[in-house]
Amino acid sequence: YFITERIIHPLKTMTSAAKSFAEGDFSSRVEVYGGDEIAELAKAFNNMAESLDRFERMRNSFLANVSHDLRTPMTTISGFIDGITSGAIPPEKHDYYLGVISNEVHRLSRLVTDLLDISRLESGDRKIKFEPFDVAEVARIVLISFEQKIEEKNLDVIFESDSDSMNVLADKDGIHQVMYNLCH
């Protein structure tokens, strides 16, 4: 009885934990006793549980980041379109703000394309897209996208740069997103 119980108990625990996993709860672990095959199975089971738990946390973090990254340009687009249609933005500035909206639409499109390429990221095929661009201009565009919020909060924002142009070789969309998040 005792030998059978010692063998069966970890298997029952693993069965119970597996049912929890099926419901999305990856917190269950199996106690490991000894160094026999059942103990090795329990260790492997616990390693699998840890991997699943880590993957679930990464997935949740990824979804939160994706939601934020997609919402960011949509908020800017929506704000400027509302400003144009409500008359808050004067007609002589429409072309300027439509250009900002166009840039945000293109950035949103690139973000969606990156999402579609997520399998490449998981397989290690996704590479950072290094391209030359003017980082000062990206900073100006980010500040312009916050213009409505800045005015609503009555903030005084001054943009200073050592030169008119600061060319860098980097991932433009990544730098844009970092600057946007910092300003936000």
Side-chain angles (χ1 to χ4, degrees):
Y1 171 79
F2 293 110
I3 293 171
T4 302
E5 182 59 27
R6 186 169 181 221
I7 293 171
I8 298 292
H9 178 71
L11 295 176
K12 286 181 181 177
T13 306
M14 282 186 246
T15 301
S16 174
K19 288 178 182 176
S20 295
F21 293 171
E23 295 172 3
D25 177 14
F26 303 110
S27 62
S28 297
R29 299 295 183 270
V30 179
E31 289 187 46
V32 179
Y33 301 104
D36 60 2
E37 288 83 5
I38 298 295
E40 290 299 317
L41 179 61
K43 287 178 189 175
F45 190 88
N46 288 339
N47 288 338
M48 177 190 69
E50 185 62 37
S51 293
L52 288 170
D53 191 36
R54 186 173 39 254
F55 177 75
E56 183 66 13
R57 284 193 310 268
M58 286 172 43
R59 187 183 71 81
N60 289 338
S61 174
F62 172 75
L63 289 174
N65 289 334
V66 165
S67 296
H68 179 264
D69 287 350
L70 291 176
R71 194 175 308 126
T72 297
M74 290 190 306
T75 301
T76 302
I77 292 165
S78 175
F80 285 132
I81 289 175
D82 289 347
I84 290 171
T85 58
S86 72
I89 296 175
E92 62 271 6
K93 290 190 174 186
H94 284 188
D95 287 342
Y96 174 76
Y97 287 106
L98 287 173
V100 173
I101 291 168
S102 177
N103 287 336
E104 290 296 300
V105 167
H106 291 297
R107 190 165 70 89
L108 185 58
S109 177
R110 288 189 303 268
L111 287 170
V112 170
T113 299
D114 285 347
L115 283 177
L116 295 174
D117 292 338
I118 195 67
S119 62
R120 289 185 192 159
L121 178 67
E122 289 176 345
S123 68
D125 290 342
R126 167 72 162 85
K127 305 289 187 242
I128 295 174
K129 297 174 192 163
F130 287 98
E131 59 182 296
F133 65 95
D134 182 358
V135 73
E137 183 60 25
V138 171
R140 285 184 193 95
I141 290 169
V142 168
L143 281 176
I144 289 168
S145 71
F146 278 100
E147 186 172 357
Q148 194 172 22
K149 289 181 182 181
I150 290 169
E151 288 177 7
E152 286 173 4
K153 294 182 179 188
N154 294 321
L155 299 174
D156 290 326
V157 177
I158 299 170
F159 178 80
E160 292 182 7
S161 176
D162 291 340
S163 64
D164 290 337
S165 171
M166 295 176 63
N167 291 317
V168 297
L169 182 64
D171 186 339
K172 185 175 181 178
D173 289 332
I175 297 296
H176 186 283
Q177 194 62 47
V178 168
M179 286 183 178
Y180 187 97
N181 290 344
L182 288 171
C183 289
H184 186 71

